[in-house]
Structure formats: C-alpha cells, structure tokens
Amino acid sequence: MKYNIFKSLLACGALVAFASCSENSWNDEYLDGFETPSVYPDKQSVEYELVAKDYKTIASLQENIDKATAAGVLDQLEAVGANGYFNDAISPAEYLPAFLNSIKANTNYPLYYLNPKSSLRVIFKSGAAQPAEVTDIEKAPDYTVSTADYQAVWGSDEDYAESFSPSRLPAKFVPAMLSAAYPAAQEGDFAYVTYNMSSQDPVFGGGAPVGPSFEQSSVAGTVELNKNYTIDGIVTGLCAQGMMVTDLSGTVFVYQGGSFELSSYTLNDQVTVSGKGGQYSGGLQLGSATIEKAGKATEPYVYPSVTPLTDAEWEADFAVFKAANVAKEGAFPIYAEVDAEITVSEVNEKNGAIFVNYKVGESKVAGALYQATKEQMNALPVGRKCKLAGYLMSCSTSGDGRMNMLLVSVDGVPQFGGDVAKAPVMKVAAVASEEVSAVYSFDGSSWSPAENVVVVQASDYAEMGVSNFSSSTVATYIPTFLKETFPYAAKDDVKYVVCKYYDSSSKVTIPQHCERAVFDGTEWTVNTIETLSDKFALNGSTWVYDPSVTIDLPRLGKPQISVDFFQACVNWVYENIDKPEFGAEDIKSGKGYVTKYGNNEYYSGASAYQCDVDLRPSSAKEQCPSGWEGMSDEEILAAMKVHFEKEVCPAVLHQMYPDQMPGNGVDLYYYINFVGYTVEEGNVDYTATYLVTAKGEFKYVSCTWND
C-alpha cells in the first residue's frame, strides 16, 4: 500500500494540507516528567512521534510477524526494528495499527486519552526497502584481530609485528581466523573485522651488520611524491634500469633509466641515494637520483618470508597498484613469490626491448619482469614453470591488466649475487600502521572479503573533517566519498557502504551502519530517510489507518497547485461540453462555456486565472447565452454549483488520482478546500467532500456552500 500520501500528491501537482494538531502534541520520549492529565472527552486530535524503541516493538509483535511472514517480507520487518524506520515493504498503514492497539491502554501514550471521535497523527521515519545484505552487514559480529592472531601470522609468539603488511595480507590469514571463531557460520553470513595494517613490510633483522662508517637511514618507507630524499640503505633488487634500496623503514625503487650501469652493482651493496619522489604506472620510485656506493654488507640481507601468492592475492596486489595508477599516486613495492609459467620471452627487433611475461595460476592478470636482462630472458624460455620471487612494483591497466615484478630470484637462485635463502622470521621493531576495518562474507565453505562492500576508515573521516555520518550528512558524504574512491564506476554499480552513524532519536552512534548506494552513470545516490506522517482513527475500539486527504487550493498568490487544478477543470469542460455541444475546435475559440482566454469557464465557474470558482450568473450568461437561456440568476447559480461539485471536480480528481484505492478498513475521503466568488458575498472559503468508492472513483458527499 502506498502510504506516503503527502509525497504522492506533490508528485501529482497537489499540495496536501493536513489539519493542525491541538496543543497536546506529545513528542517527548514517553512523557518523562509529565503529570498525567485528566481525560478530555472533547479531545479530537493529537500527534505522536515514534522513537527508536517503538520500531523495535513494532517488529516484535506477533500479529505483525505473522503478517510479514505470510507476505514473504519478514526480513524487512526485522530491518524496521534494527534500522528504526519503515520501508516500502513494511508500511505504517499496515503495521502500525497492531502497535497502536497494543499500547492504547498505556497511560504513557497519548492514545489513552482519546475517545472514539478522536484521530491520531503518527510521525515516523521511512526509507526504501533494503536488501537483506544491508541488515545482515549491520548485524554481523565484530571480530578484532588479537595479539595471538598476529603471532600466528608472523609465526612466532616473541618475534612478530602487531599488524598486517604487503607480504602478510589480511585476505590470506583472516579467513582462517573467522573459521575458527565462527564454526557454525552459514552461507551468506558476514563478519566485521578490525585489524592493523602497515603500508610497508617490516625489515626482519634490519639486514646485515654495518660498520661504523655506514648507518642505515629510516627514510625509504616514508617517500612521498615531489619531495627530495637521501637514503642510506642496502641494494635488495636490480634490473636493467635501476635498483631496489632497503633501509630500516622499508624499500623503494631507485630509477636510473638507460644510463644505469647494472654491472657496477650487486645485491647487498651499501649505497647512498638522493632523488625526488615520483611514480610510474602506480609504482612509487625515486627519480633523478644519484647513487654513491659505500661498501658491501658483510652478511646477506634476509628477505621477508613469503609463500606463493594465490590467484586472489595476486589480483589483490594488482588492485593496489591499479588504484594508485588511477589516482596518479605511487604504491610502495611488495616483496612476493609466485608460481609462474613463462608465456613470452623475446627481444623486440625494432627497439631492442626485452619482454619476459608469465601467467599466475588461472588469473587473467598477467605478469611481466620489469626491465629484464638478456640473461634472464635466455634462462626463462616460453613454457618454463618456476617460482619467481621479487618486488611487485607497477602495473599496466590495459586489457585484463598486467603486474610488473623486479626479479630477485628464480627457484630460489638469486640474480646478480646475494643470498635469498629463507631464514626464520626475526624480531622486528614496531612498524607504523593504521587501524582498518573490512567486511568478510561466508560462501558456505570459506570466508573472503565481501564483494562491493566498502568501509569508511578513520583516515576517510579525518579527510572529511567529521567523526561520523548522520541523517543530515549521509546523503551528501557517501556520494562524494564513492565518486572519489571509484572514479571509473559504471552505470548501475552498487556499493554497500559501512560507516559510523549518529542516530539523533536514540542519541547513539551506531558503529556498523550500512547504506546501499547506486551509481546512475553520473552520481551515486543512497537511501534517504524521510520524516513523514500518517493519520489513524478509532473504528469503535480499534485503531485503523485513516487515509483521508485534504487538498488546499489557495487563491492568493495563484500557487501552481491551484492553477493546475482549475485549468484541469477548464480543460474537462472544453473536451466534454464545448466540443460535443458547441462544436468548439480550439480551447480559445470562445465557443461554449470556455472563454476566449482558455483559462476559465462558466459551466461550473472554474478559473485558472483567478484560482477560484466564479459563480457570477451575469458573466455566465454573457459568455454562453444559449447555455443559460430561460434561466434566472438563482437557477444559474444553483446549476453552476451542481456542475462543479458533482461533475467537474470529481472528474478532475479521477484524472489526477486514477490509481487511488478505497481505504483499508476505514472510508477514504478527499476534502477539497477552495474559494468561491459571488458579487454579493465576495470571496468565500468552501470545502467539497468526496468518498473514494473504487479505483480512481470519487463519489460526491457534500459541499459547504449548500449548508
């Protein structure tokens, strides 16, 4: 049932004006501190605004549960209780009466003081019906990764970091944590996971001991675009046009281009590099750099302990660089290992460029060695299957995408010297990290990051300058957030945005609120919660939905609602009276009751120009003498009134509201407030009443000009 009468009437060009409430409008939460008044036998109307606990009660009533179950919308009834607002599937007209009847004897509610002559206007919140995912995400358990979890991730209860990192991605470890925590999980379940994430791999052991003349810096992991840096570190990767340099804070690529003398360097060289932060294809690098060798570490650098990436992890890493590339930013290199099959190994005859490409499992995202050497090309023929270890450092977004790796070892054999033998995880210093939250879903057998679910992070709130969203900001902040996060979204894309939400009615911040957002090709939109109202009446001793509607047609100011209504009356007279009876071929022909202006008529007196009903017999006879021939002024006046109240007005209501249905359990009346004009009385306010008897059918009941 369409319960939003106010909204639907506006859409049809009519303004709904409900009767004002009396002085007793109880909107405080259950009248705290209010002294019980005496019963007022003449009480006619009162209003009440639902609070958070009322929605929970509505959703818990067995009568409503049975009704929603039979209609197949029980999940949406549960959403009403959880979210604190009605939706398209659970309307107040159908589900509020059970609530009103359950509390009518409770003196804490205004209903207690009403007699059968009274009516009640209930103010409520309403939004669009939400998919089950919204409610399920909001109800999902909150799992925080513990110290014990991090110890398991790093393989030690003494030597570990309390965060994930590029080589220890959450998607690889969180599923096992959730499986252990929720062994009874069912398909479609969600979990809200909170953990720490570092943008850099911690340096295990800090590399080789260094002499007094060379101390590693803590700079590489802090590089930003367009800033100058000097780094003292160790060479941990080499290619034809540059090197990876690692210091105590992390690793960064130092680009040299065609002038780079690869033969001058080996792994584990100690170097001092100076350059400016830049990016290429999503990868962070130090460009325009100078390199000064400072010696060689006496013990080999120990790389992070990693296992071959799964297809999903490979694609997740690609997504990191793709996002950075789209944003024209740079992502730090990620040390990784893959099980690869070589698909391309050749030299471009025109420019001498070397291409060594490979595939990872069944992933459509290809792999390529960044600035490979001829020796590597010769050692990696097409078809060879091997383990490649190195730094993922940039990407190409054409087609299905390609990830670029700076190669460090093949099947455990190092390139360019050095030692990449796996070593136990060593104790590390604390690494910089930030708290991150994510939503995971269960497919019946395993957990994985939920598709199309986005969590607003602490850094996002900080950038917006707010600590949470609210009913007044959620429809503004989320579209802007999504537009910046997904600049290449396609039409009809859907995202579920999880955020902190301040509920003003309950004065509580909900940490796990979910909004469904849809992209129309230009803008993102979310479900906006509106404050609406509906009227209910006592039918004997039972509350029922009272759908009665009042339409105001003001004269002063000639509002559009009045112009539209009365012009519709004029149009009806032209089509149904003037054309068949007088042969009028144009509404401005002046033939018949409609004047040559086409905006007023003297069959019922409707005037779109004056926004009233003009009941002057003299003007009626002047416009259409043959129509009123032989009738006195009193007879003309009476006939015009009958024409308006019993022919023209109900016909126009049928045109404007063809889908209006009769009331459910109570009669549905339309009250039309308008102005009538006579020479003797001037402008007088009148009300015509109509009963909806069938779909789009309005039966005349009365008009106050007959009183």
Side-chain angles (χ1 to χ4, degrees):
M1 175 179 290
K2 192 69 176 177
Y3 60 86
N4 187 351
I5 300 297
F6 184 86
K7 189 173 182 181
S8 62
L9 284 178
L10 285 179
C12 295
L15 175 66
V16 177
F18 294 118
S20 61
C21 299
S22 70
E23 69 277 7
N24 288 313
S25 294
W26 290 291
N27 295 318
D28 290 335
E29 194 164 327
Y30 300 153
L31 311 175
D32 288 344
F34 185 81
E35 293 184 6
T36 302
S38 58
V39 176
Y40 297 101
D42 60 343
K43 170 61 68 179
Q44 292 300 309
S45 64
V46 69
E47 71 176 27
Y48 175 72
E49 183 171 0
L50 298 180
V51 296
K53 65 179 72 174
D54 294 335
Y55 295 98
K56 296 183 185 299
T57 301
I58 291 166
S60 68
L61 292 173
Q62 191 61 48
E63 180 181 340
N64 285 341
I65 292 173
D66 294 342
K67 182 182 297 184
T69 301
V73 292
L74 182 59
D75 59 332
Q76 293 300 329
L77 178 62
E78 293 173 347
V80 170
N83 299 333
Y85 59 83
F86 287 98
N87 54 54
D88 293 341
I90 306 297
S91 70
E94 293 183 277
Y95 290 86
L96 259 178
F99 169 73
L100 298 177
N101 290 321
S102 73
I103 62 170
K104 62 185 177 182
N106 189 330
T107 57
N108 284 332
Y109 288 88
L111 286 66
Y112 180 76
Y113 304 98
L114 302 182
N115 62 26
K117 296 181 180 180
S118 301
S119 66
L120 174 71
R121 179 160 300 284
V122 179
I123 302 171
F124 56 86
K125 294 179 180 179
S126 182
Q130 294 293 313
E133 288 86 345
V134 170
T135 303
D136 291 344
I137 289 172
E138 292 183 331
K139 295 189 300 183
D142 184 358
Y143 184 88
T144 301
V145 178
S146 66
T147 297
D149 291 330
Y150 290 121
Q151 290 171 340
V153 168
W154 295 103
S156 172
D157 58 1
E158 294 183 356
D159 306 323
Y160 63 92
E162 291 218 23
S163 72
F164 292 106
S165 74
S167 69
R168 294 289 195 282
L169 293 175
K172 186 174 183 178
F173 298 94
V174 169
M177 299 175 190
L178 296 178
S179 293
Y182 308 112
Q186 299 181 1
E187 182 177 358
D189 284 356
F190 291 93
Y192 185 75
V193 184
T194 302
Y195 52 83
N196 297 325
M197 184 71 199
S198 173
S199 62
Q200 279 280 284
D201 279 327
V203 179
F204 295 89
V210 297
S213 61
F214 185 82
E215 294 184 0
Q216 292 187 57
S217 61
S218 295
V219 177
T222 67
V223 171
E224 298 179 13
L225 299 183
N226 302 315
K227 294 184 179 181
N228 293 310
Y229 297 91
T230 295
I231 301 172
D232 295 319
I234 296 172
V235 177
T236 55
L238 289 161
C239 68
Q241 294 193 359
M243 62 175 65
M244 288 290 176
V245 175
T246 299
D247 69 2
L248 297 177
S249 65
T251 301
V252 70
F253 179 61
V254 179
Y255 177 71
Q256 287 285 283
S259 64
F260 183 59
E261 297 181 3
L262 174 59
S263 60
S264 299
Y265 301 94
T266 63
L267 299 181
N268 296 309
D269 281 347
Q270 296 168 331
V271 294
T272 297
V273 297
S274 298
K276 178 180 288 188
Q279 68 90 21
Y280 177 75
S281 296
L284 192 66
Q285 63 183 30
L286 215 60
S288 304
T290 61
I291 304 175
E292 180 181 346
K293 292 180 67 173
K296 192 174 186 66
T298 58
E299 293 185 10
Y301 171 75
V302 179
Y303 290 84
S305 178
V306 294
T307 56
L309 297 177
T310 64
D311 290 2
E313 292 167 343
W314 169 255
E315 292 172 357
D317 287 342
F318 169 72
V320 170
F321 290 99
K322 180 180 179 180
N325 187 34
V326 169
K328 304 301 181 185
E329 297 176 350
F332 282 98
I334 300 173
Y335 186 78
E337 182 178 82
V338 295
D339 288 320
E341 180 179 346
I342 307 302
T343 57
V344 176
S345 185
E346 62 186 25
V347 177
N348 186 305
E349 295 181 357
K350 292 183 178 180
N351 58 22
I354 295 173
F355 296 98
V356 179
N357 295 355
Y358 56 92
K359 70 174 185 176
V360 175
E362 300 300 321
S363 176
K364 293 183 179 181
V365 177
L369 299 187
Y370 180 78
Q371 294 297 328
T373 66
K374 287 185 178 180
E375 290 78 9
Q376 291 171 338
M377 180 190 68
N378 293 333
L380 298 171
V382 173
R384 179 177 174 182
K385 296 182 179 180
C386 54
K387 291 186 185 297
L388 303 180
Y391 290 96
L392 307 179
M393 55 174 297
S394 62
C395 74
S396 169
T397 58
S398 61
D400 292 321
R402 185 185 71 245
M403 182 93 75
N404 297 321
M405 173 190 279
L406 189 148
L407 186 63
V408 171
S409 70
V410 179
D411 288 333
V413 178
Q415 307 292 296
F416 314 113
D419 184 358
V420 295
K422 297 294 191 300
V425 177
M426 301 179 67
K427 195 167 188 176
V428 308
V431 292
S433 64
E434 65 173 324
E435 185 177 275
V436 174
S437 294
V439 175
Y440 279 68
S441 62
F442 189 67
D443 64 5
S445 60
S446 62
W447 291 89
S448 61
E451 293 185 1
N452 298 320
V453 179
V454 185
V455 179
V456 183
Q457 308 294 344
S459 57
D460 298 320
Y461 293 115
E463 186 175 345
M464 298 175 196
V466 298
S467 57
N468 53 50
F469 297 154
S470 66
S471 59
S472 61
T473 62
V474 69
T476 301
Y477 280 102
I478 286 183
T480 302
F481 168 71
L482 291 176
K483 195 167 188 177
E484 294 180 355
T485 306
F486 303 100
Y488 297 101
K491 187 176 183 297
D492 297 326
D493 277 0
V494 174
K495 299 294 180 185
Y496 295 92
V497 182
V498 184
C499 59
K500 296 178 181 178
Y501 182 88
Y502 178 73
D503 184 357
S504 58
S505 62
S506 61
K507 297 180 174 56
V508 171
T509 298
I510 303 169
Q512 209 168 302
H513 178 77
C514 184
E515 289 282 349
R516 181 178 183 268
V518 180
F519 189 62
D520 64 6
T522 303
E523 300 292 339
W524 289 92
T525 57
V526 299
N527 177 31
T528 302
I529 309 304
E530 299 178 285
T531 299
L532 305 173
S533 66
D534 267 344
K535 190 167 59 174
F536 295 82
L538 275 172
N539 183 12
S541 61
T542 303
W543 284 101
V544 293
Y545 173 54
D546 179 5
S548 299
V549 177
T550 299
I551 300 176
D552 277 343
L553 301 174
R555 180 179 185 276
L556 293 178
K558 299 181 180 180
Q560 194 63 45
I561 173 61
S562 300
V563 173
D564 291 344
F565 190 93
F566 287 114
Q567 185 62 53
C569 293
V570 175
N571 295 347
W572 187 90
V573 171
Y574 167 70
E575 292 289 343
N576 294 275
I577 306 296
D578 286 3
K579 289 176 70 173
E581 292 189 14
F582 299 96
E585 298 177 352
D586 184 271
I587 196 171
K588 293 184 179 180
S589 66
K591 294 181 178 180
Y593 295 100
V594 180
T595 71
K596 65 181 179 179
Y597 300 105
N599 59 9
N600 67 317
E601 51 84 14
Y602 284 99
Y603 179 75
S604 72
S607 173
Y609 178 72
Q610 294 292 347
C611 293
D612 63 9
V613 176
D614 185 351
L615 298 172
R616 292 177 296 168
S618 59
S619 296
K621 289 186 290 186
E622 181 180 351
Q623 170 58 35
C624 189
S626 62
W628 302 110
E629 185 176 359
M631 298 178 66
S632 67
D633 286 357
E634 291 77 10
E635 291 173 330
I636 294 174
L637 175 62
M640 291 180 70
K641 288 182 177 181
V642 171
H643 291 165
F644 180 80
E645 66 191 18
K646 294 185 178 180
E647 286 186 69
V648 180
C649 190
V652 169
L653 289 173
H654 173 75
Q655 290 178 1
M656 297 185 73
Y657 313 112
D659 296 325
Q660 180 63 71
M661 297 296 292
N664 183 16
V666 65
D667 289 337
L668 166 55
Y669 290 95
Y670 268 63
Y671 302 100
I672 314 301
N673 294 327
F674 65 96
V675 174
Y677 176 77
T678 61
V679 174
E680 295 77 15
E681 296 182 312
N683 295 315
V684 178
D685 292 331
Y686 296 110
T687 299
T689 302
Y690 297 88
L691 173 66
V692 181
T693 57
K695 181 179 180 181
E697 297 299 323
F698 296 80
K699 178 182 178 181
Y700 170 72
V701 176
S702 64
C703 185
T704 55
W705 59 23
N706 296 317
D707 292 346

